[in-house]
Amino acid sequence: MAEALEQAGADGDVLVIESSSERLEKLRLACSAANVFFLLGTPDVLPLPDCSVDLVLGDAMPAEAERVSCQR
């Protein structure tokens, strides 16, 4: 999370996507940064418009993550 916040910068937002509601809640409770948002789901189906996020982090880059990323 710290790396993502650093890469996003002061004006950027970080979106955390997790398929487990229990894990998502633990992550939410562990992070107090105002620019971090949490979404229950999977990176294969993102309810976001095309080119709507500045940065997508992760080992695997599904087509859906590439679709929403402005870094193409």
Side-chain angles (χ1 to χ4, degrees):
M1 184 82 65
E3 180 183 339
L5 286 167
E6 183 179 320
Q7 287 186 6
D11 295 331
D13 294 323
V14 174
L15 177 63
V16 177
I17 302 166
E18 175 59 51
S19 61
S20 163
S21 59
E22 292 84 14
R23 176 129 168 86
L24 189 69
E25 182 63 12
K26 287 179 184 177
L27 291 168
R28 189 188 66 76
L29 291 172
C31 180
S32 61
N35 61 336
V36 177
F37 301 92
F38 300 88
L39 178 68
L40 183 63
T42 67
D44 295 329
V45 180
L46 300 174
L48 302 169
D50 293 354
C51 191
S52 61
V53 298
D54 297 317
L55 179 65
V56 177
L57 300 176
D59 296 333
M61 188 68 70
E64 188 70 351
E66 290 181 15
R67 179 188 67 78
V68 301
S69 175
C70 292
Q71 291 184 338
R72 296 179 193 201

